[in-house]
Amino acid sequence: VIALLIGTVGAQGLVLLSAPIISRLYLPEEFGDYALYFSTVMVLSVIVTMRLEMAIILPLTDDDALPVLRSSLLSTLLLSVIILSLLLFGSFVITGSHFLKFVSEHPFFILAGCISVGFFQSLTYWHNRLGNFRRIAFANITRALLVILICIVLKETNNNGLNGLIVADFLAQLISGVIVFSDRKLILNLLADLKWNSLVTTLTTYKQFPFYN
């Protein structure tokens, strides 16, 4: 638990200390676009997992919890694609929405951001169940450091108009996700019984989570 606390506080401390530097590198408009991206991904990541990640800690054995993790990951992939497709369709139908215009201009980052955050949340609950608090803490601190470093590097080298704040957040989330997912045995176990009907079975068993959380 102490390791988890150190990781969380350390990550937040790094972001706080870097704020004066980052705020001088980027324009208010870039922070506005990043805020829209971040809030969109955070809201959608709650939807795409269907809150099944919270059910990962409930089964008595790890073997029973594995299908719940698998279902959470499958739900993240499926719903991320469906929701983004609906938003892109809406951007063609409703032309006056700033939000939908933003989505149509950044579809890859929003899709990949939802998937990476959904995966990270699900795997964090899995490692919480196993007591791998140091791995979670390391992933959180690594993410904070990468956001800072990538933001600075991209501002100095980016000439193609990409928002360095969005790119940095996405890449840092992706790499930290790889850290918590870098378990060969877990990957093989997840792929061993990769069936969509397992998602239906899990949703039936934990049907209260998508509705009440």
Side-chain angles (χ1 to χ4, degrees):
V1 177
I2 294 178
L4 196 59
L5 178 63
I6 292 174
T8 302
V9 174
Q12 293 177 347
L14 288 170
V15 173
L16 183 63
L17 290 174
S18 67
I21 300 174
I22 303 298
S23 62
R24 284 170 172 76
L25 292 177
Y26 290 89
L27 300 173
E29 293 81 3
E30 292 175 301
F31 277 101
D33 285 341
Y34 169 71
L36 185 55
Y37 161 82
F38 183 80
S39 58
T40 300
V41 169
M42 288 299 104
V43 171
L44 293 181
S45 66
V46 173
I47 299 173
V48 297
T49 61
M50 301 186 74
R51 306 307 278 165
L52 291 175
E53 76 275 16
M54 299 181 69
I56 291 174
I57 60 175
L58 295 182
L60 295 178
T61 66
D62 294 340
D63 289 339
D64 291 333
L66 188 64
V68 184
L69 172 61
R70 184 186 297 114
S71 297
S72 182
L73 300 179
L74 287 174
S75 173
T76 298
L77 287 173
L78 178 63
L79 292 184
S80 293
V81 174
I82 291 176
I83 292 174
L84 182 63
S85 299
L86 291 175
L87 290 175
L88 288 175
F89 176 75
S91 67
F92 290 105
V93 177
I94 306 173
T95 57
S97 171
H98 176 69
F99 168 69
L100 292 177
K101 180 182 177 182
F102 178 83
V103 171
S104 66
E105 293 173 348
H106 304 83
F108 169 77
F109 288 112
I110 292 177
L111 174 62
C114 287
I115 294 174
S116 62
V117 171
F119 272 39
F120 184 82
Q121 290 174 342
S122 300
L123 290 162
T124 297
Y125 272 89
W126 174 259
H127 287 296
N128 265 319
R129 176 187 177 87
L130 300 181
N132 295 333
F133 302 125
R134 290 186 179 181
R135 176 176 288 194
I136 298 172
F138 179 67
N140 287 331
I141 292 178
T142 300
R143 182 185 184 283
L145 283 172
L146 286 173
V147 167
I148 298 168
L149 293 175
I150 296 173
C151 277
I152 295 173
V153 171
L154 285 180
K155 192 60 180 179
E156 298 298 327
T157 61
N158 180 27
N159 296 314
N160 53 14
L162 288 175
N163 188 323
L165 294 168
I166 295 177
V167 177
D169 185 86
F170 161 70
L171 290 177
Q173 184 66 59
L174 183 65
I175 295 172
S176 62
V178 171
I179 291 174
V180 296
F181 202 33
S182 57
D183 186 329
R184 183 173 178 271
K185 182 179 179 181
L186 175 60
I187 295 174
L188 291 176
N189 288 335
L190 287 171
L191 295 175
D193 190 24
L194 191 60
K195 299 177 181 178
W196 289 108
N197 60 359
S198 65
L199 174 58
V200 177
T201 302
T202 303
L203 281 174
T204 302
T205 305
Y206 301 99
K207 57 186 177 183
Q208 71 273 24
F209 281 84
F211 296 102
Y212 298 114
N213 286 291

